[in-house]
Structures are given as structure tokens and as C-alpha cells.
Amino acid sequence: MIDDPGMTSSWPRRAALFWTVAYGGFGLVCALTDTPVYAGGDHRAPAALDWSVVAIAALAAIAVRSRRHALLWAACALSAVSAFGLLMNVITLVFEQKVDDPVAAANEALAALGVALLATTARSGRALGPPAPSPAPRSARWAAYAGALAFVPYAAMKTTWAVGGTFAGTSGAEMRAIAERNGASGLWLTLESWGIDATALLAALGIFLIFGLVRPWGQVFPRWTLVLHGRRVPRWLPLTPAVLGAATLAPYGVAGIGYAALATAGAVTIPRGDFHTSTDALLVSWIGLSAFGAYGIALIVAARSYWLRTRPTRQP
């Protein structure tokens, strides 16, 4: 048990307690009205699983009130699992101005907020301030470089289509027609008309993020940020997208790579989808899933290193 009296009156703990009530109430209402909160694509999980949201909120409330580290981190981990898929919904919202399932998206957003509040509560206490900026250990830096390189073939493939080229037997014009048929937003199509693929742009932002997690400029704003130069980077600023990205891309990519490997071995048949042949679809799947899996794992390593290197120093 934590005996830090400052924790009792800290804002993270009060905010976390308020969140447990809000999240538990959300899950209870959904459970009583048979509204599933878990969904993936066109599939919706049974509404009975909504009670897991109530259980997570109850565990979190007990953890916050008892101020036990183990329970706090357990509730934090369960909330992170519940938040799976939020990154995809954020991307869809930005580029298509909609989400596939509003209730599932709300659950993911609330769960992600809980992750932040519970983690902050677990780490709260008296602090001397942030440590001096430092680079990540060599192993974490190499992991970040590998994750960034994994996105290069993916970005090249998507950019080839955006500028009108052909890859995997499919032309840029065909890909644009597919995007229009699938309901792509005006923003998405406008970027495509400029030769910019939205997902390739996000890949570039992802590379920027992972480099910031392993270099000192990710802890103190560098000179090129102008008015922010020399100020400390709030820990939550890079860690929030890093945690969301890792929790989404790592399991999605690793599971997808396994499926692609089975398809390559002939154990399963991969549907051709919007491509001309299953072979074309398999090639594109390997490129995309390898990028997501490698980057997601690298992001876990980089985020963990950043978390450890930026921990506030506690008073004795």
C-alpha cells in the first residue's frame, strides 16, 4: 500500500474516481439496454460482455480507493485492452468524419482516458521534477530504426497508387475508384488528388513519433519548434499516441502476419477483395501487416524506454 499522504488529495486520484463512476455507469446502461460496446468491423460482440466494463470500473474504483499499485496497474491493463481499436476510429474520424460504431468508439475513448488516469494515479506522488534529457539505450534506438524502416515499403506502395502508378496489378485510378465506392471522405480524396496518400502521411507521423521517443528532443522541445524551444515536453504528449498505436498495431500486425504466413503456406485461402487475384492481395497484405507488426512492437519498446527515462524523481 502507498503511504504517500499527498496522493490522497491529488487531482489524479479524484479524477480517476470520477472516471470509475462514469465508465461503470456507461457499461451498466449499455448492459441493461442490450447495447454491445465491443465491435470490430461488421461484427458486434454479445451485449453480455458489457458487464466486463462494469467489472473493470469496479476493480479500478477499489484500486484507487485502496491505493494499491498492483490493482491500479491491473485495472490500467484491462482498460488498455478495452481501448483496443481507438486508433483506427480516430483515423476514420479524421479522414472520413465518421466512426463505424459510435458506442464502441465511445467505450474505447473512455477506456483510453481511464488508462491515462489510472497510470497517472499509480505514478503520482511528491516529485523533484523531470530528469535531464537523455537518449534511449542502444537496443531501444535500434528497435525504433527497425520500426521506421518497416514502414518504408508500405509508404512507397501507397504513394505509388496516390501518384497514379500501378502496384500488385492494381492502378492508382482503380484504387481511387475503390476508395470512392467505399465512402472515402472529401479530405481523403483531395489528398489523393494531390498525390498524397493519407495512410502514408500517418506512417510519416508515426516515424516522427518513434524517433522522438528515443532521442533527447522528445523530452525538451528543440530549436525548430520556435516559441516552445527549451520547454519540457509533457510526458503524456508522446506517450498517449504511442500507447494507443502500440496497443492497436502490434496485436493487429502480429496476428495478421500469422494469417498471411498460413495463406502463403496454402493452409488457408486469402480472399482477393478489391484486387484482381489472391496473389496480389497476399502481397499487399504482407507489406501492410509487416509494417504494422514491426512498428507496433518497436513502439512498445520505444514507449517503455521513454516512460522509464522520463519518470519524475521522488523526494526521499
Side-chain angles (χ1 to χ4, degrees):
M1 180 177 294
I2 301 172
D3 295 322
D4 183 0
M7 185 176 181
T8 305
S9 59
S10 65
W11 72 262
R13 182 169 182 267
R14 293 196 300 270
L17 283 172
F18 179 81
W19 171 82
T20 62
V21 175
Y23 192 49
F26 169 80
L28 182 61
V29 170
C30 290
L32 294 177
T33 57
D34 290 328
T35 305
V37 300
Y38 298 112
D42 297 327
H43 305 287
R44 297 172 66 86
L49 289 179
D50 293 357
W51 290 105
S52 66
V53 172
V54 179
I56 292 172
L59 174 64
I62 295 171
V64 174
R65 291 185 65 84
S66 65
R67 304 190 297 281
R68 293 184 179 274
H69 270 170
L71 287 181
L72 281 168
W73 287 118
C76 186
L78 291 173
S79 297
V81 173
S82 191
F84 178 79
L86 178 61
L87 177 63
M88 297 302 183
N89 272 316
V90 170
I91 293 173
T92 302
L93 181 62
V94 170
F95 290 106
E96 299 184 16
Q97 289 79 58
K98 64 178 182 180
V99 292
D100 294 331
D101 189 307
V103 175
N107 173 62
E108 292 161 3
L110 284 170
L113 176 61
V115 171
L117 291 174
L118 292 171
T120 302
T121 301
R123 298 298 310 175
S124 63
R126 297 170 297 171
L128 292 174
S134 62
R138 180 177 299 179
S139 58
R141 296 200 304 271
W142 279 110
Y145 301 152
L149 285 174
F151 259 140
V152 172
Y154 175 81
M157 174 183 71
K158 301 288 283 188
T159 301
T160 297
W161 284 325
V163 299
T166 298
F167 183 82
T170 305
S171 67
E174 288 177 295
M175 292 302 294
R176 181 179 176 86
I178 291 169
E180 291 178 343
R181 185 172 68 247
N182 291 338
S185 68
L187 175 59
W188 187 289
L189 296 175
T190 298
L191 289 173
E192 290 284 338
S193 68
W194 294 343
I196 302 173
D197 180 81
T199 54
L201 181 61
L202 290 172
L205 292 175
I207 292 173
F208 175 81
L209 169 64
I210 202 169
F211 283 168
L213 290 170
V214 298
R215 302 304 305 174
W217 58 262
Q219 297 169 256
V220 175
F221 286 106
R223 185 176 292 105
W224 49 263
T225 56
L226 303 179
V227 296
L228 294 176
H229 173 226
R231 296 176 181 268
R232 299 290 310 198
V233 176
R235 295 180 80 205
W236 61 265
L237 187 59
L239 283 175
T240 298
V243 170
L244 291 177
T248 301
L249 296 179
Y252 177 75
V254 171
I257 289 172
Y259 181 80
L262 291 174
T264 301
V268 298
T269 301
I270 188 169
R272 67 181 183 87
D274 294 319
F275 298 95
H276 297 294
T277 67
S278 295
T279 301
D280 294 335
L282 182 58
L283 172 61
V284 172
S285 296
W286 267 116
I287 293 174
L289 294 170
S290 296
F292 298 154
Y295 178 81
I297 293 173
L299 198 57
I300 292 174
V301 175
R304 179 179 181 276
S305 173
Y306 186 91
W307 174 272
L308 294 175
R309 291 177 5 254
T310 57
R311 286 182 299 180
T313 304
R314 294 178 180 274
Q315 292 181 352

